[in-house]
Amino acid sequence: MSEIEITLREATGNDAKELLAISQQVSQETDFLIMDERGMNLPEDLLTTQLDAIYESDTNFLLLAFADDQAIGAASIRASDEARIAHIGEVGIFIAKDYWGLGLGTLMLEELLAIVNEESILGRLELTVQERNTRAIHLYEKFDFQTEAILARGAKSEDGEYLDVRLMSLLVGE
């Protein structure tokens, strides 16, 4: 692949159609994700409203990665509205298969962490990742995420095989 220019920016409601399209594409390209082959499977108008709310939030963030004005990936942090756990953000990243191995995950995670450290009240980030997704585990370890547990049978493959899932976390802020 020749040199490509990547643009990262926070998603707004205007990005709903692009986000739905890239989620559907990626969900068909890999079974490392929780979502199935339908992707996000939300009506576009509902996603538009949700994206606008995320954009205004100080605990929820969604970055989109673009190459040539086409969405190629997304990285998010989602926190609960429940007061006792509102300081915990759940991290999620997905990238179109044609862009795997180019450092896009690193770029998106760096940007998410910068946003969290500058603009957020979050104190903990956590995620789950399938044990067989060694590239993703390496990415998270590079940013000092720590393994807290292995969740036996934490996911199931399309073939019905039980898969172990790793729970990882990173303490942020003060």
Side-chain angles (χ1 to χ4, degrees):
M1 182 178 290
S2 61
E3 189 171 307
I4 55 172
E5 185 174 321
I6 302 294
T7 303
L8 287 182
R9 65 171 171 76
E10 284 191 71
T12 67
N14 295 332
D15 297 311
K17 187 174 187 173
E18 286 278 349
L19 182 56
L20 286 170
I22 189 61
S23 79
Q24 290 166 352
Q25 175 187 334
V26 170
S27 65
Q28 292 173 9
E29 293 175 338
T30 181
D31 63 353
F32 285 143
L33 304 175
I34 293 171
M35 61 184 164
D36 63 18
E37 69 280 352
R38 295 171 296 171
M40 292 182 138
N41 201 27
L42 289 173
E44 187 176 331
D45 58 337
L46 177 59
L47 184 57
T48 297
T49 302
Q50 290 179 353
L51 290 174
D52 283 335
I54 290 169
Y55 186 76
E56 296 299 325
S57 172
D58 64 351
T59 57
N60 295 285
F61 308 97
L62 177 61
L63 294 176
L64 286 176
F66 292 88
D68 299 324
D69 296 324
Q70 180 179 351
I72 59 168
S76 65
I77 295 177
R78 185 182 55 155
S80 174
D81 292 331
E82 299 293 328
R84 291 181 192 239
I85 57 171
H87 66 285
I88 301 170
E90 183 180 352
V91 176
I93 296 175
F94 63 82
I95 300 167
K97 195 168 191 172
D98 286 347
Y99 296 89
W100 289 4
L102 301 177
L104 185 55
T106 297
L107 184 66
M108 289 195 297
L109 191 52
E110 279 175 344
E111 187 65 24
L112 273 183
L113 292 175
I115 291 169
V116 166
N117 287 321
E118 292 169 16
E119 303 177 19
S120 177
I121 60 167
L122 296 175
R124 173 186 168 89
L125 299 178
E126 60 186 32
L127 58 91
T128 56
V129 58
Q130 292 178 23
E131 276 289 286
R132 63 191 181 136
N133 192 350
T134 55
R135 280 181 145 170
I137 291 168
H138 175 72
L139 170 67
Y140 300 128
E141 287 176 338
K142 183 165 65 170
F143 285 92
D144 296 325
F145 278 79
Q146 302 297 310
T147 298
E148 291 190 347
I150 303 298
L151 308 173
R153 296 185 178 189
K156 204 173 190 181
S157 73
E158 292 175 4
D159 300 334
E161 175 189 1
Y162 288 113
L163 305 168
D164 291 347
V165 172
R166 189 181 289 218
L167 172 64
M168 300 182 80
S169 70
L170 176 69
L171 301 182
V172 294
E174 295 180 28

